[in-house]
Amino acid sequence: MINFEVGEDLKLVQDTIHEFSLNEVREIAREAEKIGKVPESLEKKYAELSMFLIDYPENVGGAGMDVRSSVVLYEELAWGDPAIALSLDTPGFGGLVIRFFGTDEQKVKYLSPFSDPSNFSYRIGSVWNRTFDPYDTESVTVRYVSKGGKFFLNGTGYFVHNFDNDDIYVVLALPEGSEDLKELRVFIVKKESPGITTGRKDDKIGLLSFRTGVVEFKDVEAEVLSGSQDPVKSLEESYIYFWLRIASMILGASRAALEYAIDYAQERVAFGQPIAKHQGLAFMISDMAILLEGARDYLWETAWSVVEGKASIGDVAAALAQIAVAADKICPDAIQVLGGHGYIMDHPVEKWARDAKALSLLAGSLIVFEDVASNYIVKENGGK
Amino acid sequence: MFDFELSPAMQNIREMIHWFAKTEIRPLAIEADRTHQVPREFLMKLVKMGFGGGSIPGRFGGGKLLGEPEGKKKESEINRIGAIAMEELAWGDPAILLNIPGPGLGGPPVMIMGTPEQQKMAFEVFKDTENPHWGAYALTEPGFGSDVAALSTTAVKDGDYYILNGTKIFITNGARADWNVVFATIDKSLGRAGHRAFLVFKRTPGFKVGKIEQKMGLRAAETAELIFEDCRVHKDFLLGGEEYYEKKVKGGGFKGAMKTFDQTRPLVAAMAVGIARAAYERLVEWINENYMINRPIPRYQRIRELLVEMDREIKTARYLVWQAAWMGDVGKPNTKHASMSKAYAANVAQRVTSKALEIMGRDGLERDNLVEKLYRDQKVFDIFEGTGQIQRIVIYRRLFTKLYHYT
Ligand SMILES: Cc1cc2nc3c(=O)[nH]c(=O)nc-3n(C[C@H](O)[C@H](O)[C@H](O)COP(=O)(O)OP(=O)(O)OC[C@H]3O[C@@H](n4cnc5c(N)ncnc54)[C@H](O)[C@@H]3O)c2cc1C
């Protein structure tokens, strides 16, 4: 029955991560941004919480909870810091792709290391198209050929997480010359395979401690993931789980910004009273709060629908769009509440705003979310 | 763990009311808007179906309220069921919805503040199944709407009676109501502490109906002026009795009056969601009928984007309503969330109806296309039950907990 209680199990996750975010993540967020990576000490501590595979099935080493758990987890972790949250989701998109494309054996092989905290530096990088639009085959940058029963990859991967420091790469590729998504295949490439070179590290608007860069593949031999009968469906499933994570992180970043603005508005004095007493500003903050609350309700409903098997990638894209738009208002307005101080790095608000924006762009951008959602709306209404 | 499954009762109500809205309400909508009234046969149909009686609590002779908790263990679903029902009814037609016989917005204050005898008196009128009956809520005056502290209708004690003087305006169903919950002050200098709520029945001496307003929208709904000239109301009709307003009674007085908003605002928000959804669905129909011919592709693209935006905003509004209603059902303080749902849903109804009209272009002008009516109807949802600005005040007072100390 309609219910907004987070529930005992998830409350435990929420409390644990909240404490971790408050005491560990926030402490180190600016430093991590400066050095451009998450310090190993933090990775180690996070690994000890055993959250990497929270919504993965138990047979691959996961905690076996449903996707609602990751929605709660990543909001809380990104409330600590969005860039660190994204980095600490080390399975990331690649892990999800393995989950939906791999055979049971492959899943166990490549995912179960995450269940052992001593593997805290086990890393997966993923390579897909340039735009991250799930249906954009034209911007696919890595192509495969098969020779004598073996697969070889050629091309370039962009925005690859931990590009020069990965244990394996998960590469989504099309055959040379094909634009047909049905021919999509997913490959595992070991980092020591011959033919791999790593290029420059990306410099970005935000998410600076989420290290990404370019990886080149030249006639690299690869293992194909062969557990999926329907690559389009498996890709959509991977996106559903990944976009829910991104949405949760954008939500967490926005919440951090809103809370900071609420506190600040009650302390800062202008024209003889706390700026919170100036109604123009107070109204702005009320609107931010409304958007945030509505965004979470929508996200939760969508996550629940995914659990019930009722949500399509279009539903998830629509929710992500709502949250990205909300963040686009909440985060810049939070800077506005702080005035000039909001623009200065002494306060975290400008960082949350950059990170939230980067999360949306990295996951495809509002244009893509709305496009995917609109395809479904048109289909639902009998159009083409 | 959080979930969004409708309970069987919610599911039933949604289907039943949707069917009713579609087959009985919607066909009357445009004509009712033109004639500024709802046919009496329709109102009687509602009464016979027990619609008016449906909101009479069981102990006053009505049936069991749907969603009323059974036994100790079951949680109440009343607020959620109410929200779901209101969305469907408003989808049918918001003006006709306001015509549905019953206590209306007068119900919650009677339930929250009234003594058992007063509740019995108020609800007994709905037992009559030969005529439609209404209750109403009369707070607004010519001199104020939002600023309740400016209340100036006076109540002067005279023996066992209170003498009411003043004018109330914009009262939904106020003229035809059997009784109005009328707010007055015993002493303006006391501010909110001087406010009193009275149950004033129609034929009370000194009470008369003034003008009936002509409006932008909700034209089939009655909006009345009520005039009190030395109107004598016995103290038995002071809601809650005199002790209720002494500081001793927790949650009494003005706070009692405000509490009713926690229940009613999500319902009003649900209506706004219903209007937005009606406009959205009509628009989709219209697009399917009219967009088969060739037009520049970028225009299709723009329309698709607008559809996504409308769809996701309507859903967000609905879930805000459900959250506030759920909090009400499980007994969590929901004042802030009630205001959030109302503020957001009203804005969504505005945006959705307005964009739907723009997409329909000249077709949007036409009254037969329904959407122009919904556009006129929705505007007031950001005004009554507290304007959008007042909702935002309610919200920030609860966000700025270091500056304001109440929940
Ligand atoms: C169709 C209809 C039905 C109605 N039904 C009922 C009913 O059944 N019972 C009843 O009692 N009333 C009813 N009303 C009245 C309605 O509740 C009031 O109109 C509403 O509360 C606004 O009051 P007002 O019109 O006096 O506007 P005002 O209070 O004068 O407000 C004017 C503007 O100033 C803004 N404002 C006011 N105070 C502040 C502030 N502190 N900060 C910032 N902005 C502020 C308002 O938001 C608004 O934009 C109805 C009205 C309509 C139109």
Side-chain angles (χ1 to χ4, degrees), chain A residues 2 68 266 287 297 375, chain B residues 2 80 304 323 392 402:
Chain A
I2 299 173
R68 283 174 288 187
Q266 296 175 84
D287 280 323
D297 289 348
N375 281 332
Chain B
F2 55 88
R80 282 167 288 183
R304 281 165 53 145
Q323 188 185 9
R392 284 164 177 84
K402 290 179 205 155

Side-chain angles (χ1 to χ4, degrees), chain A residues 279 283, chain B residues 98 105 136-147 168-174 180-181 183 213 215 217-218 221-224 380 382-391 393 396:
Chain A
Q279 207 179 55
F283 277 8
Chain B
L98 293 181
L105 290 179
Y137 179 94
L139 175 62
T140 306
E141 297 176 6
F144 89 95
S146 309
D147 182 9
K168 296 288 174 184
I169 56 166
F170 301 164
I171 309 308
T172 303
N173 292 326
N180 273 274
V181 173
F183 289 84
E213 307 291 348
K215 305 188 295 296
L218 292 185
E222 177 190 277
T223 306
V380 77
D382 202 26
I383 297 173
F384 60 21
E385 285 289 291
T387 65
Q389 288 68 41
I390 297 304
Q391 308 304 334
I393 292 174
Y396 74 62

